[in-house]
Amino acid sequence: MFFMRLAWLAVVTWLFLLIRAEATETAPKRVVSMNLCTDQLAMLLAAPGQLYSVSYLAGRADASVLAERAADFVTNQGLAEEIFLMKPDLIIAGTFTTRATVNLLKRLKFRVVEFSPANSFKDIEANVSRMGELLGRPTAAAAAVAEMRRELATWSAAEKSRALTALYYANSYTSGGNTLASEIVRRAGLENLGDKLGLKGTSRLPLELLVTGRPELLVKGRRHGSSGSRSTAVLEHPALIAATTRSERVLLSDRYWICGAPFTLQAVRNLARAARQVVH
Amino acid sequence: MTQALLVIVLAVLVVLGFLGSLVVGPAALTSVTSLSALFGGENEAARIVMQEIRLPRAILGAMIGATLGLTGATLQGYLRNPLADPGVLGISSTAALGAVLAIFTGASAAWVFALPAAAIVGAGVAVILLRILAGQNAGTLTLILAGVAISSLAGALTTLTLNLSSNPFAALEIVFWMLGSLTDRSMLHVWLAAPFMLIGWFCLLATARALDAMTLGADVAQTLGIDVKRAQALIVGGAAVSVGAATAVAGAIGFVGLVVPHLLRPLVGAQPSRLLIASALGGAALVLAADIAVRIIEPTRDIKLGVLTALVGAPFFLWLVLKTRREAL
């Protein structure tokens, strides 16, 4: 009887240690992230000392929400040689990260996990959960998802102005249906002109169609970099200015719109605030 | 065909092209609505589209086409070479380099005329280099080689400048500068380029008599009382100023100056002076037609103008090379 008890206790202890060992062994200890969006998700969810390096884009204030936090980590330029020398046990990249580099790292027998860009809040939840699972931080991830859902629920109940909104970036690009930007517009209770015209993904919106579309709210892209470029010339086109004199204008703060993460809600908040200025 | 008849026919083509350019576009406007909206009216959106988007595009199409046709005809007369054209000889490429440098150093933001000025300087450098490298009696081979060298160097330096820019979109703009486009040009671009193009036209048209005389050679022309040096200066200056301004606002559009004078030369009796006006009108008609075509082929995408002119011009160029070879035998 006593030996049976002992045996049972031994088995339970062994199982417990095994599970704990697995839990701590599967959690990576030296994570390198090569993509702006995975950088930020990793910074939000990683345990102290777990994340070793983030890409240089994470430190840029115009592109990254967590730019200040990125200073705590080593910067990488997304090159295979430097990442190889860091000896990571997990590399996180995006599905659009330079294919040659990702393939080379896989050939060098590193564990490379790729995240596709989020096009909706559902995608954001999926990415956050997946990142939590990868880093061995499921509770932190679940908490972030729950917080997002709670806030989104309050937005759905809020007043919807349904104002026609046009997103306009450099080189006459807009975000049509099935993009994160379009989802942000929708959640703020507005209608996306690109979506209305049947455009899908990030595609070109001819200036004439923007003018005849008569948007009530214009979300304009910013100039990039210090040196000039023709790409943003269209954003100062006399026709655009004339067509939107009565529209409300919002300057895009890119860093909240590029990456799908819990802070994407800030973009929805900013947009909804601007939308309240629109008078029908 | 008499000169007067030819000029009238070409002028009619230009007018038709201009009207066509005004009524074609992605916004669904009927011809009547669009043409009446050009003069104002209640439809605010249509008025903006017509006055601020389509009108400048049509004006620039006509003026740039005229510039390229006129410059091509002049250079062919001056260099006495059938393969002379601002694009082939690298003048457009160096003008584009000048323009790119003006934009990326911020000079064009500081002073608005820095853009056409830099492009004009670039074009001027090319014309002078051509004169030095090829001389006035240069054979076809020397001239084309000089053009290729200048073109390649200018293209490489343009790409380098764009790659060194901190702007993420800069590297993509090489396509605009090498192929040219009239999409989303505004009246500001018209005011920026038109004065220089007009100055260039006056300079080039003033050399009409000199070009006729120079078909007999520079020495004979001198004995006929033509001031050859003055004619040279006018041609260099006129070509540089007009092509520079045109390239500054629309990028390098090639082959117009090559194709148009060749098509019209038989109709003017191969006389350079009569070819000038005809080429200007012919060039305007060609560029307007190409600009209408890019919008009909794919209304929502931005197909570059140079693609169409190259599709027409490059085979024509090859045919010319073969013809020149055959004649040389």
Side-chain angles (χ1 to χ4, degrees):
Chain A
M1 190 58 190
F2 173 71
F3 283 114
M4 288 237 335
R5 275 253 179 119
L6 196 60
W8 184 82
L9 192 62
V11 167
V12 167
T13 315
W14 172 77
L15 273 172
F16 177 68
L17 286 172
L18 185 68
I19 290 166
R20 271 225 61 200
E22 264 186 21
T24 46
E25 256 164 51
T26 50
K29 292 191 198 61
R30 202 169 162 91
V31 179
V32 168
S33 169
M34 289 169 67
N35 169 280
L36 174 63
C37 302
T38 57
D39 292 340
Q40 296 185 85
L41 281 179
M43 282 194 274
L44 283 173
L45 296 173
Q50 191 179 26
L51 182 61
Y52 179 72
S53 173
V54 291
S55 76
Y56 69 99
L57 290 169
R60 283 177 55 157
D62 57 346
S64 165
V65 177
L66 303 174
E68 282 148 13
R69 256 210 253 179
D72 299 335
F73 305 99
V74 174
T75 304
N76 73 67
Q77 305 291 322
L79 298 171
E81 204 177 289
E82 66 177 337
I83 293 174
F84 169 76
L85 291 170
M86 290 176 188
K87 300 201 209 318
D89 50 11
L90 174 66
I91 300 174
I92 314 178
T95 48
F96 288 96
T97 304
T98 317
R99 292 292 91 201
T101 312
V102 169
N103 290 337
L104 181 55
L105 287 167
K106 285 181 181 168
R107 269 179 59 114
L108 293 170
K109 306 278 192 289
F110 286 104
R111 186 178 167 212
V112 182
V113 177
E114 293 172 61
F115 277 72
S116 41
N119 286 326
S120 64
F121 279 97
K122 233 169 52 108
D123 287 349
I124 296 177
E125 286 178 19
N127 282 349
V128 169
S129 306
R130 190 170 167 226
M131 182 64 80
E133 207 185 316
L134 265 181
L135 297 175
R137 305 266 288 170
T139 34
V145 169
E147 175 68 40
M148 259 179 61
R149 283 197 184 144
R150 209 173 11 246
E151 182 156 357
L152 275 175
T154 59
W155 279 110
S156 311
E159 175 196 309
K160 286 190 201 290
S161 70
R162 304 299 308 164
L164 186 59
T165 306
L167 301 161
Y168 211 49
Y169 319 134
N171 287 324
S172 298
Y173 272 82
T174 191
S175 294
N178 199 30
T179 54
L180 186 63
S182 192
E183 173 92 349
I184 292 171
V185 169
R186 195 177 65 83
R187 293 284 181 165
L190 305 165
E191 195 188 355
N192 181 7
L193 178 63
D195 208 355
K196 185 176 167 202
L197 292 172
L199 298 169
K200 292 261 172 280
T202 310
S203 49
R204 199 169 164 271
L205 175 65
L207 185 58
E208 287 191 15
L209 292 179
L210 177 63
V211 169
T212 49
R214 284 185 250 238
E216 293 166 274
L217 178 66
L218 177 69
V219 181
K220 225 165 79 152
R222 281 182 195 277
R223 293 180 66 98
H224 295 267
S226 48
S227 63
S229 161
R230 279 193 57 261
S231 57
T232 45
V234 75
L235 300 175
E236 315 292 330
H237 197 285
L240 181 64
I241 294 173
T244 54
T245 40
R246 278 186 293 269
S247 318
E248 188 63 27
R249 274 178 245 186
V250 177
L251 268 181
L252 199 61
S253 45
D254 287 320
R255 54 206 180 118
Y256 290 106
W257 291 65
I258 301 176
C259 287
F263 51 68
T264 307
L265 282 167
Q266 185 60 37
V268 179
R269 281 184 219 121
N270 292 345
L271 194 57
R273 201 180 324 129
R276 275 182 229 126
Q277 308 296 326
V278 173
V279 180
H280 276 281
Chain B
M1 192 184 262
T2 65
Q3 175 76 345
L5 185 58
L6 180 64
V7 168
I8 290 170
V9 167
L10 289 172
V12 166
L13 281 175
V14 172
V15 169
L16 286 175
F18 191 81
L19 290 171
S21 189
L22 284 174
V23 303
V24 168
L29 297 171
T30 62
S31 315
V32 175
T33 321
S34 46
L35 290 172
S36 60
L38 193 58
F39 300 102
E42 297 134 16
N43 192 343
E44 180 79 6
R47 184 189 67 81
I48 294 172
V49 164
M50 291 309 295
Q51 288 181 348
E52 302 289 349
I53 303 177
R54 291 196 192 167
L55 182 64
R57 185 168 183 156
I59 294 175
L60 280 175
M63 290 188 81
I64 290 173
T67 300
L68 294 172
L70 182 58
T71 316
T74 315
L75 286 173
Q76 285 173 18
Y78 172 56
L79 296 167
R80 282 182 297 154
N81 194 300
L83 296 176
D85 158 74
V88 168
L89 296 181
I91 302 172
S92 301
S93 311
T94 43
L97 175 61
V100 165
L101 285 172
I103 292 178
F104 286 88
T105 55
S108 62
W111 177 47
V112 68
F113 283 104
L115 177 66
I120 288 166
V121 166
V125 165
V127 184
I128 293 168
L129 264 178
L130 277 168
R131 191 78 181 79
I132 294 170
L133 287 172
Q136 200 183 3
N137 292 326
T140 304
L141 185 62
T142 320
L143 193 65
I144 298 302
L145 280 177
V148 167
I150 293 168
S151 229
S152 310
L153 184 61
L157 289 173
T158 310
T159 315
L160 179 65
T161 313
L162 292 169
N163 273 334
L164 289 176
S165 165
S166 60
N167 191 302
F169 298 103
L172 302 172
E173 273 162 35
I174 189 67
V175 179
F176 166 83
W177 291 108
M178 296 196 129
L179 290 176
S181 168
L182 285 172
T183 308
D184 292 342
R185 304 289 84 193
S186 66
M187 288 307 291
L188 297 169
H189 295 111
V190 176
W191 300 132
L192 210 56
F196 297 103
M197 286 198 271
L198 286 169
I199 293 172
W201 293 356
F202 281 128
C203 293
L204 292 171
L205 290 169
T207 64
R209 275 198 64 219
L211 281 175
D212 278 344
M214 287 202 278
T215 55
L216 303 163
D219 304 324
V220 178
Q222 201 106 48
T223 61
L224 283 172
I226 304 291
D227 186 349
V228 174
K229 286 226 180 309
R230 181 174 158 270
Q232 239 167 258
L234 279 173
I235 291 170
V236 167
V241 168
S242 52
V243 172
T247 311
V249 295
I253 299 171
F255 298 108
V256 176
L258 184 70
V259 170
V260 171
H262 272 279
L263 289 177
L264 298 174
R265 195 168 281 123
L267 300 173
V268 296
Q271 200 177 349
S273 57
R274 286 161 65 166
L275 191 55
L276 293 185
I277 297 270
S279 294
L281 290 169
L286 182 62
V287 170
L288 284 168
D291 198 30
I292 293 171
V294 298
R295 279 176 287 174
I296 290 178
I297 292 172
E298 252 300 355
T300 47
R301 287 190 197 276
D302 178 23
I303 298 183
K304 299 288 179 278
L305 203 54
V307 171
L308 255 78
T309 58
L311 281 173
V312 168
F316 188 89
F317 184 60
L318 287 169
W319 173 76
L320 266 182
V321 172
L322 289 171
K323 196 176 91 151
T324 319
R325 252 186 54 186
R326 255 183 273 127
E327 280 168 7
L329 287 170

